[in-house]
Amino acid sequence: MLCRLATSGRSSTKFIVPLACSASRQKHTLPDLPYDYGALVPHISAEIMQLHHSKHHATYVNNLNVAEEKYKEALAKGDVTTQVSLQPALRFNGGGHINHTIFWTNLSPSGGGEPQGELLEAIKRDFGSFASFKEKLTAVSVGVQGSGWGWLGFNKEQGRLQIAACANQDPLQGTTGLVPLLGIDVWEHAYYLQYKNVRPDYLKAIWNVINWENVSSRYAACRK
């Protein structure tokens, strides 16, 4: 069954419920940033953050609400053809909303450095060292063809961390089964105004604002 995201708060995705379960669903809303648009300067400019959040993410939210309303109408009519035709819009805009809601909390003006505790130990176990992990995730993110995301995820079945890339706005968990811990947006709108077409420079800079406390909290939560 086609599902929609149900969120609790602005910082994390908690669970997924079938779209048809709620006849009077609440519309998705653009989450507030936990910091000012200029808080990540010089690594990510205020202009990029403002456009990325208030324009790009807002568009995904608006289009997701429209697609869900059309899907609800088609479901009530038993119009399977329309339900199927709406799935790409739900996937793209729903994924865009999921991904960016995670992304904002993965960043912090007091971020950077290395994680601590259980997350660091897991990174060393699964990638050899933090430096090796950082190199691998950077390489995967640089290598995304066109637009997409680089991810650190948790494989619950295997009990280990994995690196993955997703095209466009495909959500990590919905397409690979991995629980998202850290996402790096490599769409051009995430960096072009500041770094032009030099994606590696953007990826080098973003490590200075990674919120390891948030990533560690996500790791702890998905292991319960």
Side-chain angles (χ1 to χ4, degrees), residues 35 102-124 127 129-135 137-138 150-153 161 163 180-184 203-221:
Y35 39 77
I102 295 169
F103 183 61
W104 306 133
T105 64
N106 277 169
L107 305 178
S108 170
S110 58
E114 298 185 6
Q116 302 297 320
E118 292 183 350
L119 177 60
L120 180 59
E121 293 307 310
I123 287 174
K124 290 179 178 178
F127 302 106
S129 66
F130 177 76
S132 177
F133 153 72
K134 183 176 175 180
E135 181 180 350
L137 181 52
T138 297
W151 289 98
L152 171 67
L161 301 173
I163 288 173
L181 304 179
L182 169 62
I184 300 179
L203 289 166
K204 181 180 179 180
I206 202 170
W207 289 104
N208 293 301
V209 290
I210 296 298
N211 184 354
W212 290 114
E213 183 177 347
N214 178 263
V215 181
S216 295
S217 295
R218 292 178 181 279
Y219 178 61

Side-chain angles (χ1 to χ4, degrees), residues 12-206:
S12 62
T13 299
K14 295 297 185 183
F15 56 92
I16 295 177
V17 296
L19 178 67
C21 287
S22 176
S24 58
R25 68 170 185 84
Q26 292 185 338
K27 288 188 175 182
H28 300 284
T29 58
L30 181 68
D32 294 331
L33 290 185
Y35 39 77
D36 294 334
Y37 286 138
L40 304 183
V41 172
H43 310 293
I44 304 178
S45 72
E47 184 180 14
I48 287 176
M49 292 300 296
Q50 190 272 330
L51 289 171
H52 199 170
H53 176 257
S54 69
K55 301 298 183 181
H56 291 281
H57 190 174
T59 298
Y60 299 131
V61 171
N62 293 338
N63 289 342
L64 176 60
N65 285 325
V66 170
E68 283 193 344
E69 190 62 33
K70 290 181 179 178
Y71 188 88
K72 177 183 173 183
E73 294 172 0
L75 193 66
K77 295 176 182 178
D79 184 352
V80 178
T81 298
T82 298
Q83 292 173 48
V84 172
S85 71
L86 287 167
Q87 289 182 21
L90 289 168
R91 180 188 183 111
F92 182 78
N93 294 293
H97 182 37
I98 291 169
N99 294 343
H100 286 87
T101 299
I102 295 169
F103 183 61
W104 306 133
T105 64
N106 277 169
L107 305 178
S108 170
S110 58
E114 298 185 6
Q116 302 297 320
E118 292 183 350
L119 177 60
L120 180 59
E121 293 307 310
I123 287 174
K124 290 179 178 178
R125 178 196 68 208
D126 295 330
F127 302 106
S129 66
F130 177 76
S132 177
F133 153 72
K134 183 176 175 180
E135 181 180 350
K136 289 177 180 177
L137 181 52
T138 297
V140 165
S141 301
V142 169
V144 171
Q145 294 185 351
S147 300
W149 292 73
W151 289 98
L152 171 67
F154 181 67
N155 186 320
K156 281 197 166 187
E157 291 185 0
Q158 299 180 13
R160 67 185 185 92
L161 301 173
Q162 286 184 225
I163 288 173
C166 290
N168 301 313
Q169 292 296 350
D170 288 356
L172 182 69
Q173 191 163 8
T175 53
T176 70
L178 299 176
V179 179
L181 304 179
L182 169 62
I184 300 179
D185 189 348
V186 291
W187 278 67
E188 286 190 342
H189 64 232
Y191 62 88
Y192 198 87
L193 287 175
Q194 185 171 359
Y195 294 98
K196 307 307 178 188
N197 63 328
V198 190
R199 185 186 289 178
D201 284 355
Y202 158 70
L203 289 166
K204 181 180 179 180
I206 202 170

